[in-house]
Amino acid sequence: MQHKIKNTVMGYLPILEWLPNYKKNDLQGDLSAGLTVGIMLIPQGMAYAMLAGLEPIHGLYAVTVPLLLYAIFGTSRQLAVGPVAMVSLLTAAGIAGLNAESPEQYLVYALSLAFLVGLIQFGMGLFKLGFVVNFLSHPVINGFTSAAAIIIGLSQIKHLFRIDLPNSEHIQEMAIAIFQHIGDIHWITFGIGVIGIIIIKYGKIIHKSFPAPLVAVVFGILLVWGFDLTEHGVKIVGSVPSGLPTLSSPSFDLATLKILFPIALTISLVGFAESFAVAKTIQTKHKDYRLNANQELIALGMANFGAAFFKGYPVTGGFSRTAVNNDAGAKTNLSSIISALLIVLTLLFFTDLFYNLPSTILAAVVLVAVSGLIDFKEPVHLWKKDKVDFSMLIATFVITLTLGIETGIISGMILSLVVVIYRASRPHIAQLGRVPGSNVFRNINRFDNLDVKDDLMIVRIDGPIYFANVEFIKEKLDKWILERPTKVNMIIFNMESVTNIDSTGAHELDEWINNWRKIGTDICMTSIKGPVRDVLNRWAILECVGADHVFLDDNTAVSAFDHSIDTATLEKYTPYAIQSNLKK
């Protein structure tokens, strides 16, 4: 009993698994990774908060308590949790419709959104609903991510060019606005931003651990301070509050939460899909621990609760930071704790240093980060391999770009479900023929020179027989029967690939059998799985077919059709006879 309780507690608190068994040899890697990611988080956190429509300081708040909470509850030992570009854009898109009257009210909406995201993810984890994210297929996520990356990039043009642009998530509106204001570019701001992009993009050439974003930040600050560029129109971050985040409270107004719920659900699913995908990728390289999808949901939910009550905004695991964390040597979640402590030190002692940070440098950080999210290879790959998935990717991409982030992801989920239903409603069905000189039967459309009798049709259905596909199956069978040059006297149903039959399938199957027998076409069944046999028994289908018409394999059924074995031998091969002998 105590062992069971211990396992349950450790399941919900994975820190109790790795911390008591911590190895001194892991400290160097965790320390190196923690400091590297912490340095990376400072400019990224500030930049992503700006992308979310918040003051930069809230990006730093979002990587203190949330990061510590994930380290306690998370099962991944390399995942770096915090603000990411996608979630930041979704946050801005979701809050925009509420028309906040002040920055303070906007912050309350962001806290409320983080609380809702935490509640959804925690609830999904608690009720083991991690499988729901599977409704976001890879092509949908790919198309959505690429489109969102373009929208994020365009949203940063106003900071890079220092021009006035409306807040929008529709590419057509953004493109028109940029075209109309292109002549208003502030060239000094633009020049600083371009240099920042070059530093961040190509700084890794020097060394893979080179803190390029931080170097770009230092460069921007020194340039503005040294040449007093604020007097020449360069926009800066200005005063950044020092000190740790104090307790905050989201809004519990039902009307507000109701408006925020759709975007909170989107962030919950997209955030978890992104987080779990990268965590799984990294975990396969280590293999010394296991990931638990439902516990990951609980951990992300707790991290978002931390953001909601400590002046942050929605967080999730990030691709780039996690990759850096792993490459820098992270072995356990102690690296995340070290990163959080570095942010705490920054908040306590170094916020004044960011006063002269130009906004265009933060835009450069975002632009470089999202440029890697645009995937050109996957559409080409899908075009060659799977046209349906390609169409789904392109549809999600176009809808997200033109109709908005929320509409894009919801449309993508609906498309995924439609494709699943479409494919399930059209299962693969094969006519089988005997390989000459053997007892093996194969698909007549894939193998040549098979023995096929015109008056005998052997059919294999690869999938369940249920309400969504019975019409398709019947139409296919009727077509094949009509194509035969002579009357079909026997249909043998090979059931080895049938996984389930629902009430509609059972009703239709019974009707088919009776109708075929009325016109002189008999029915046999072979290779029935246990669970399917149970269903057929419940609906009296096997009674209708007859015990002497149910066989273990196609060869026995064909032999019976040919009258090449006597009745005693025939009965010996039916499952009922075998079950009876076993009972004896």
Side-chain angles (χ1 to χ4, degrees):
M1 184 68 177
Q2 287 181 341
H3 182 69
K4 190 175 180 181
I5 293 172
K6 182 182 176 183
N7 285 341
T8 303
V9 172
M10 288 177 69
Y12 284 110
L13 293 170
I15 192 172
L16 297 179
E17 184 180 341
W18 61 264
L19 190 58
N21 303 311
Y22 192 81
K23 301 171 185 175
K24 289 182 180 179
N25 294 339
D26 293 339
L27 183 59
Q28 184 178 352
D30 283 340
L31 185 61
S32 171
L35 293 174
T36 302
V37 173
I39 289 169
M40 188 179 180
L41 274 170
I42 295 169
Q44 273 196 353
M46 297 175 78
Y48 292 152
M50 190 173 72
L51 174 60
L54 294 160
E55 293 295 323
I57 189 65
H58 296 287
L60 298 183
Y61 292 158
V63 285
T64 51
V65 175
L67 205 56
L68 293 171
L69 286 171
Y70 180 81
I72 294 169
F73 292 95
T75 57
S76 171
R77 299 187 186 176
Q78 285 80 32
L79 189 70
V81 170
V84 298
M86 185 75 67
V87 170
S88 299
L89 178 66
L90 287 168
T91 299
I95 299 175
L98 291 169
N99 300 315
E101 296 175 357
S102 65
E104 291 75 21
Q105 190 177 38
Y106 191 97
L107 175 60
V108 170
Y109 290 151
L111 298 175
S112 305
L113 188 59
F115 174 76
L116 266 181
V117 171
L119 197 63
I120 292 168
Q121 291 182 328
F122 186 85
M124 286 176 67
L126 207 59
F127 292 103
K128 304 190 184 305
L129 298 176
F131 69 90
V132 171
V133 79
N134 294 332
F135 290 121
L136 285 171
S137 67
H138 179 71
V140 164
I141 293 175
N142 191 282
F144 172 75
T145 302
S146 295
I150 292 171
I151 292 171
I152 292 168
L154 290 175
S155 74
Q156 296 306 292
I157 293 296
K158 62 183 177 184
H159 301 295
L160 186 67
F161 289 175
R162 183 73 165 91
I163 57 177
D164 292 324
L165 294 177
N167 290 323
S168 175
E169 51 179 290
H170 303 145
I171 191 171
Q172 61 274 24
E173 294 174 3
M174 299 172 86
I176 291 169
I178 291 170
F179 178 77
Q180 289 173 341
H181 294 85
I182 198 71
D184 301 331
I185 293 177
H186 189 266
W187 291 103
I188 298 176
T189 298
F190 178 63
I192 296 170
V194 169
I195 296 171
I197 289 172
I198 293 169
I199 293 171
I200 299 166
K201 184 78 175 173
Y202 300 104
K204 294 291 180 185
I205 295 173
I206 299 171
H207 191 273
K208 67 177 183 179
S209 299
F210 182 72
L214 191 64
V215 171
V217 165
V218 172
F219 162 78
I221 292 170
L222 291 176
L223 205 61
V224 169
W225 174 74
F227 294 95
D228 197 18
L229 294 181
T230 52
E231 295 297 320
H232 297 278
V234 174
K235 186 179 179 182
I236 60 172
V237 168
S239 296
V240 178
S242 62
L244 300 178
T246 54
L247 274 173
S248 57
S249 177
S251 169
F252 296 104
D253 177 60
L254 289 179
T256 301
L257 295 178
K258 187 177 178 181
I259 294 171
L260 289 174
F261 183 80
I263 202 71
L265 182 61
T266 302
I267 290 173
S268 300
L269 294 176
V270 173
F272 174 64
E274 178 180 346
S275 178
F276 194 69
V278 67
K280 206 155 105 176
T281 302
I282 298 298
Q283 186 267 340
T284 55
K285 299 176 181 178
H286 291 271
K287 302 183 187 299
D288 57 345
Y289 65 91
R290 289 185 179 181
L291 278 178
N292 183 315
N294 293 311
Q295 183 59 30
E296 282 298 290
L297 275 165
I298 289 173
L300 290 173
M302 292 301 296
N304 278 293
F305 283 146
F309 291 102
F310 288 92
K311 294 188 176 179
Y313 71 99
V315 297
T316 193
F319 281 104
S320 58
R321 285 195 301 271
T322 301
V324 169
N325 196 34
N326 182 61
D327 291 344
K331 300 297 181 186
T332 70
N333 279 331
L334 183 63
S335 62
S336 292
I337 295 171
I338 292 168
S339 295
L341 291 176
L342 183 62
I343 303 299
V344 166
L345 290 174
T346 302
L347 287 168
L348 288 173
F349 305 111
F350 305 118
T351 54
D352 289 343
L353 297 176
F354 297 102
Y355 181 86
N356 286 309
L357 174 60
S359 298
T360 186
I361 289 291
L362 294 180
V365 172
V366 174
L367 284 165
V368 174
V370 300
S371 65
L373 298 177
I374 304 173
D375 192 343
F376 296 102
K377 293 180 181 178
E378 187 64 13
V380 175
H381 180 70
L382 288 178
W383 172 255
K384 295 175 181 176
K385 305 289 185 181
D386 192 326
K387 295 291 194 298
V388 174
D389 277 1
F390 171 80
S391 301
M392 196 158 48
L393 185 152
I394 295 299
T396 306
F397 178 78
V398 172
I399 292 169
T400 304
L401 276 182
T402 56
L403 300 181
I405 299 289
E406 194 175 336
T407 306
I409 194 65
I410 291 171
S411 300
M413 288 182 71
I414 293 171
L415 279 172
S416 294
L417 289 171
V418 167
V419 169
V420 167
I421 293 168
Y422 174 78
R423 285 174 171 165
S425 69
R426 302 173 69 84
H428 178 259
I429 308 174
Q431 290 190 72
L432 306 181
R434 188 197 296 269
V435 176
S438 76
N439 294 329
V440 177
F441 292 78
R442 290 289 181 264
N443 187 342
I444 64 174
N445 292 324
R446 291 181 178 271
F447 293 83
D448 297 326
N449 304 316
L450 297 178
D451 289 339
V452 179
K453 300 178 185 297
D454 291 335
D455 59 344
L456 171 67
M457 189 167 79
I458 308 172
V459 178
R460 189 187 71 225
I461 300 168
D462 297 332
I465 301 174
Y466 72 124
F467 70 94
N469 65 20
V470 286
E471 205 60 44
F472 174 80
I473 294 171
K474 184 63 165 58
E475 286 176 6
K476 182 79 80 172
L477 294 176
D478 288 344
K479 177 174 176 287
W480 286 345
I481 290 170
L482 289 172
E483 288 173 350
R484 290 294 175 106
T486 62
K487 178 178 177 292
V488 175
N489 292 319
M490 173 70 79
I491 298 174
I492 298 176
F493 273 111
N494 180 309
M495 306 287 278
E496 65 182 334
S497 299
V498 176
T499 54
N500 185 41
I501 301 175
D502 73 352
S503 59
T504 305
H507 174 78
E508 291 295 316
L509 198 55
D510 184 64
E511 194 171 306
W512 300 347
I513 293 166
N514 289 319
N515 288 340
W516 280 326
R517 281 182 171 167
K518 282 177 185 177
I519 62 172
T521 301
D522 207 355
I523 304 296
C524 284
M525 289 187 180
T526 69
S527 307
I528 308 171
K529 285 183 168 65
V532 174
R533 190 184 300 121
D534 293 340
V535 174
L536 294 174
N537 271 323
R538 275 202 304 272
W539 290 95
I541 304 295
L542 290 181
E543 185 181 334
C544 176
V545 173
D548 58 342
H549 281 61
V550 179
F551 304 94
L552 288 178
D553 55 57
D554 296 333
N555 181 56
T556 310
V558 172
S559 298
F561 177 74
D562 290 338
H563 306 291
S564 59
I565 56 177
D566 58 29
T567 305
T569 307
L570 183 65
E571 289 176 354
K572 174 185 168 186
Y573 281 96
T574 66
Y576 300 100
I578 290 173
Q579 288 172 6
S580 177
N581 288 332
L582 284 174
K583 287 176 183 176
K584 290 176 184 177

